[in-house]
Amino acid sequence: MPIVTIQVTREGTAPDRPSVTAEEKAALIAGVSEVLLRVLNKPLESTFVVIEEVDTDNWGWGGLPVLDYRRQRAAKK
Amino acid sequence: MPIVTIQVTREGTAPDRPSVTAEEKAALIAGVSEVLLRVLNKPLESTFVVIEEVDTDNWGWGGLPVLDYRRQRAAKK
Amino acid sequence: MPIVTIQVTREGTAPDRPSVTAEEKAALIAGVSEVLLRVLNKPLESTFVVIEEVDTDNWGWGGLPVLDYRRQRAAKK
Amino acid sequence: MPIVTIQVTREGTAPDRPSVTAEEKAALIAGVSEVLLRVLNKPLESTFVVIEEVDTDNWGWGGLPVLDYRRQRAAKK
Amino acid sequence: MPIVTIQVTREGTAPDRPSVTAEEKAALIAGVSEVLLRVLNKPLESTFVVIEEVDTDNWGWGGLPVLDYRRQRAAKK
Amino acid sequence: MPIVTIQVTREGTAPDRPSVTAEEKAALIAGVSEVLLRVLNKPLESTFVVIEEVDTDNWGWGGLPVLDYRRQRAAKK
């Protein structure tokens, strides 16, 4: 009965995608469920997966909203 | 000071309801708060309840998005 | 497929009980699962419940560890 | 590598603000990250902060949706 | 910056193992981090994984503590 | 009614301390509660704080258990 919660920022993986696509969500669900099956022998039908998409304003890193932090890190390089 | 978090899919309980209604949410809040009062003697005013509605694309079961999994299970019967 | 998470302090409901008992945990599980069945028509077998017991040092209320806050409130009365 | 999750109701701090502003979110992120640095010596760049805004219908207190509970408490005074 | 939380019961995968081993935990961490890399292109160093082991008394399924529920299901077959 | 959850590894801030001390926990609780008061005007008595200490085996970073990841990073410098 594992529960896997995946928290990611609400962003796309390519410039023309505003957010994670349904296909990518399905691939995340399949992928982590298979990890639980392979490592701990948990049957697929006993694993729940919850994906939480978090607005970039609501995600902090380095003491800053994440987009500001990324800009700061890019500027330093 | 209990905290009860209820995660459900964002779906209605009847075909004409797209999501959990405000009345149903109030009934969930009342119901679980009463369970904490009855079982652990926690006063109602010390219990917080948070309801999280999760899009069906973001909920996985059986290694699949939940709507696909339900269809698969229905087809097997 | 609801998931209900119940967070409570690791304390007993009577002076001779250091923590929530197995019977009380079973009553919490039964109680909240029945609320989900009654209000949202979720079958019992599709509901997961996770109880998290939190040490009183690790629970804050009123800007203080919870035992200090309770003492402060009791002293004010 | 601390993770700080802040759950608040989706409400503004002034009548003309429907929700927490981006500036307030940035101040929350900065504030809690600094607490982790000051108290536990955790570098800013190792702390993640996630802010979850919860609709008032989805937040329960005192066995009621939170707006109903606040009205009940105000009426008692 | 994904955060993946894996909740499992505190049980071993073989009769002589009382709980998930350190090797199995490392395999879970590697496995889910690779899924985030492969599906969403998230660099390994930006993913946090938290494994939460839950005592079987504290995990409910089917309205019962999970060990009781498994016994009930096994008896029905 | 904010809820702040702080997840940290179960480690001390000095070689002779095996874990976060009660004084440090109290300082975390006071600190984050004051941030909520200052930024969002939330009264101290309406904020709950929950500190979750996670064993280092159960925390992953960079696709590895966190102690292995730190060693790897230290070796690279």
Side-chain angles (χ1 to χ4, degrees):
Chain A
M1 306 100 1
I3 302 169
V4 182
T5 305
I6 301 174
Q7 294 172 291
V8 292
T9 43
R10 198 186 302 278
E11 296 178 285
T13 51
D16 59 327
R17 293 183 200 156
S19 67
V20 180
T21 66
E23 287 70 28
E24 290 165 339
K25 290 175 183 176
L28 288 175
I29 289 167
V32 299
S33 299
E34 283 157 17
V35 170
L36 270 291
L37 171 61
R38 175 170 51 82
V39 178
L40 295 184
N41 206 26
K42 301 288 187 184
L44 291 182
E45 64 267 26
S46 76
T47 295
F48 282 3
V49 181
V50 175
I51 300 171
E52 295 182 5
E53 297 172 277
V54 178
D55 290 340
T56 52
D57 274 358
N58 289 16
W59 195 294
W61 194 9
L64 295 170
V66 66
L67 296 185
D68 291 350
Y69 183 64
R70 286 186 197 156
R71 272 189 287 269
Q72 189 193 78
R73 295 226 304 185
K76 278 186 184 166
K77 288 187 184 174
Chain B
M1 305 102 2
I3 302 169
V4 182
T5 305
I6 301 174
Q7 293 172 292
V8 291
T9 42
R10 199 186 301 278
E11 296 178 284
T13 49
D16 59 329
R17 293 183 200 156
S19 68
V20 178
T21 67
E23 288 69 28
E24 289 165 340
K25 289 175 183 176
L28 288 175
I29 290 167
V32 298
S33 300
E34 283 156 16
V35 170
L36 270 290
L37 171 60
R38 176 169 51 80
V39 177
L40 294 183
N41 206 27
K42 302 287 186 184
L44 290 182
E45 64 268 25
S46 77
T47 295
F48 281 3
V49 181
V50 174
I51 300 170
E52 295 182 5
E53 296 172 278
V54 178
D55 289 341
T56 51
D57 274 359
N58 289 16
W59 195 295
W61 193 9
L64 294 171
V66 65
L67 297 185
D68 291 350
Y69 183 63
R70 286 187 196 156
R71 270 191 289 269
Q72 188 192 77
R73 296 227 301 185
K76 279 188 185 166
K77 288 185 183 174
Chain C
M1 309 95 6
I3 302 169
V4 182
T5 306
I6 301 174
Q7 293 171 293
V8 292
T9 43
R10 199 185 303 277
E11 296 178 284
T13 51
D16 59 328
R17 293 183 200 156
S19 69
V20 178
T21 66
E23 287 71 27
E24 290 164 339
K25 290 174 183 176
L28 288 175
I29 289 167
V32 300
S33 300
E34 283 158 16
V35 170
L36 269 291
L37 171 60
R38 176 170 50 81
V39 177
L40 295 184
N41 205 28
K42 302 286 186 184
L44 290 182
E45 65 267 25
S46 76
T47 294
F48 281 4
V49 181
V50 175
I51 299 171
E52 296 183 4
E53 297 173 277
V54 177
D55 288 342
T56 52
D57 274 359
N58 289 16
W59 195 293
W61 193 10
L64 296 170
V66 65
L67 296 185
D68 291 350
Y69 182 64
R70 286 186 197 157
R71 271 191 288 270
Q72 188 194 77
R73 295 226 304 186
K76 278 189 182 163
K77 288 186 181 173
Chain D
M1 307 99 3
I3 302 168
V4 182
T5 306
I6 302 174
Q7 294 172 292
V8 292
T9 43
R10 198 186 303 277
E11 296 178 285
T13 51
D16 60 326
R17 293 183 200 156
S19 68
V20 178
T21 67
E23 288 71 28
E24 290 165 339
K25 289 175 183 176
L28 288 175
I29 289 167
V32 299
S33 299
E34 283 156 16
V35 170
L36 270 292
L37 171 60
R38 176 169 51 80
V39 177
L40 295 184
N41 205 27
K42 301 287 185 185
L44 290 182
E45 65 267 25
S46 77
T47 294
F48 281 3
V49 182
V50 175
I51 300 171
E52 295 183 4
E53 297 172 276
V54 178
D55 290 340
T56 51
D57 274 0
N58 289 16
W59 195 294
W61 193 8
L64 295 169
V66 66
L67 297 185
D68 291 350
Y69 183 63
R70 286 186 196 156
R71 271 191 288 269
Q72 187 193 79
R73 294 225 305 184
K76 277 187 182 164
K77 286 187 183 173
Chain E
M1 308 99 2
I3 303 168
V4 181
T5 306
I6 302 174
Q7 294 172 291
V8 292
T9 43
R10 199 186 303 278
E11 296 177 284
T13 50
D16 59 327
R17 294 184 200 155
S19 66
V20 179
T21 67
E23 287 70 28
E24 290 165 338
K25 289 174 184 177
L28 288 175
I29 289 167
V32 299
S33 300
E34 283 156 17
V35 170
L36 271 292
L37 171 60
R38 176 169 52 78
V39 177
L40 295 184
N41 206 26
K42 302 286 186 185
L44 290 182
E45 65 267 25
S46 76
T47 295
F48 282 2
V49 181
V50 175
I51 300 171
E52 295 183 5
E53 297 172 278
V54 178
D55 289 340
T56 51
D57 274 359
N58 289 15
W59 196 294
W61 194 9
L64 295 170
V66 65
L67 296 185
D68 291 351
Y69 182 63
R70 287 186 196 155
R71 272 191 287 269
Q72 188 193 78
R73 294 226 303 186
K76 277 187 183 165
K77 288 186 183 175
Chain F
M1 307 96 7
I3 302 169
V4 182
T5 305
I6 301 173
Q7 292 172 292
V8 292
T9 43
R10 199 187 302 277
E11 296 178 285
T13 51
D16 59 328
R17 293 183 199 156
S19 67
V20 179
T21 67
E23 287 70 28
E24 290 165 338
K25 290 174 184 178
L28 288 176
I29 289 167
V32 299
S33 300
E34 283 157 15
V35 170
L36 270 290
L37 172 60
R38 176 169 51 80
V39 177
L40 295 184
N41 205 28
K42 301 287 186 185
L44 290 182
E45 65 267 25
S46 77
T47 295
F48 281 3
V49 181
V50 174
I51 300 169
E52 295 183 4
E53 297 172 278
V54 177
D55 289 342
T56 52
D57 274 0
N58 289 16
W59 195 294
W61 194 8
L64 294 170
V66 66
L67 297 185
D68 291 350
Y69 183 63
R70 287 186 197 157
R71 271 190 289 267
Q72 188 193 78
R73 296 224 304 183
K76 279 189 185 165
K77 290 188 182 174

